[in-house]
Amino acid sequence: MRSPCAVASYLSLGLVSALIVVESARAEPPFVYERVQTVVLTGPQNPSTDMQVVLDQYARLVPQPIATLTTAEARRQPTLADAVNAVLKTRGKRGGSEPVAQIADRAIAGPAGEIRLRVYTPTADGTGPMPVIIYFHGGGFVIGSVDSYDASARALTNAAKAIVISAHYRQGPENKFPAATEDAFAAYQWTLAHAAEINGDPRRIAVAGEGAGGNLAAGVCIRARDSNVPVPLHQLLIYPLLDSRTDTPSYSENTNVIPFGRPLIDWYLDHSVSPADRINPRFALLRAASFDDLPPATIITAQIDPLRSEGETYARKLREARVDVAHRNYEGVVHDFFGLGAVVPQARSAVVFAGGRLQQAFKDAAPIGR
């Protein structure tokens, strides 16, 4: 494992002349580290104070650059969620996961073996049947799990007052596209057929996802429409990865942002999708033939994120197709901020916004028995 000083060197090496400026080192026991702050050539995009606290703590966890690792090594690296828990510990507080009424793990049959699900019931669960959200975690189709995105699922189930089914899926390089896409659709179809088994309402089902999971959630909506399967009631797309292009404005602004910049996204794509499939409209959803008749959408993007432009473009394409869209971009935060609400206020705001939109969508739909 590298020393904290080695990690600081990694964070600063070669980036000063590009998009990241490293401030002077400052001593903080028990070691000296360098504080990383993003500064882009077209204008400053500085992390908020609370976001910077998380990034500083993340550096203390001694992450190695994922783009230089094997997939097994990458899956063992610390995350921003780990950094949040470490920040809370320094403040004498417990971990940042919200309490929920119940959590249950289960497995269902998928196209190529079992699909792991984790079912969250909100604290104010009522009597049911309850609306259901099937949620797909991030991780670039390579890393990430229902465990590492537990905080997002917990926050979403309480904010939306709905059951959340967090679904895992096959990942690259062991299983490249379309494996994750197939698993996601299978998990959605299972939810349609079995929602009642978990006290859910099959008439009120939404999809949600972060990053790569946002791609899967949007893809479920398109495939359901094209397959004459009931479409989700709503789609929540959180900084979704929706194309393989790397020449957008947000890529130019955030190429070398740590921890989520172009080198990492290139590594994700290399490990999860073949070169020929990178323009496949089932993967690069911005290239879909039609955006008509898709469910209403809530799209959340982060200012300091190479994927920001993709979310903005998808929101525009949906609006042009007369789909109801609410899009909010959160300033001063990086990719993967949504589950960091225990420390980062913008994350709490994003969760409340998403939960409110979902609650309204569920309210507008007639529950079973009405």
Side-chain angles (χ1 to χ4, degrees), residues 100-108 115-122 130-135 146-147 150 153-154 157 162-168 187 190-191 194-200:
V100 297
Q102 185 179 18
I103 296 176
D105 288 320
R106 64 188 304 166
I108 63 171
I115 297 175
R116 180 186 176 194
L117 305 179
R118 180 168 292 168
V119 182
Y120 298 80
T121 302
M130 302 180 64
V132 180
I133 303 164
I134 182 159
Y135 163 86
V146 296
D147 298 312
D150 175 73
R154 287 171 177 265
T157 193
I163 293 168
V164 167
I165 302 174
S166 181
H168 193 51
W190 180 90
T191 304
H194 298 275
E197 296 177 13
I198 56 171
N199 197 27

Side-chain angles (χ1 to χ4, degrees), residues 14-152:
L15 299 181
V16 174
S17 61
L19 301 181
I20 294 182
V21 173
V22 181
E23 297 181 349
S24 59
R26 57 179 181 172
E28 287 201 11
F31 53 79
V32 176
Y33 74 103
E34 291 181 295
R35 182 178 184 218
V36 178
Q37 184 172 0
T38 57
V39 179
V40 298
L41 300 180
T42 56
Q45 295 196 88
N46 299 324
S48 68
T49 300
D50 296 292
M51 186 75 254
Q52 188 65 63
V53 168
V54 175
L55 293 174
D56 288 347
Q57 186 62 57
Y58 179 72
R60 293 189 185 97
L61 297 178
V62 199
Q64 298 181 53
I66 287 179
T68 69
L69 303 178
T70 67
T71 51
E73 292 169 335
R75 290 165 184 162
R76 294 194 296 266
Q77 290 302 295
T79 66
L80 293 180
D82 295 325
V84 163
N85 287 332
V87 169
L88 293 173
K89 185 176 180 180
T90 67
R91 298 175 178 177
K93 298 180 180 179
R94 301 182 64 180
S97 296
E98 289 189 25
V100 297
Q102 185 179 18
I103 296 176
D105 288 320
R106 64 188 304 166
I108 63 171
E114 287 188 342
I115 297 175
R116 180 186 176 194
L117 305 179
R118 180 168 292 168
V119 182
Y120 298 80
T121 302
T123 51
D125 59 350
T127 57
M130 302 180 64
V132 180
I133 303 164
I134 182 159
Y135 163 86
F136 303 105
H137 63 75
F141 304 104
V142 182
I143 63 176
S145 67
V146 296
D147 298 312
S148 60
Y149 282 80
D150 175 73
S152 291

Side-chain angles (χ1 to χ4, degrees), residues 137-144 149 169 171 210-213 267-268 335-336:
H137 63 75
F141 304 104
V142 182
I143 63 176
Y149 282 80
Y169 45 86
Q171 297 170 309
E210 291 186 57
W267 185 88
Y268 282 152
H335 187 88
D336 262 355

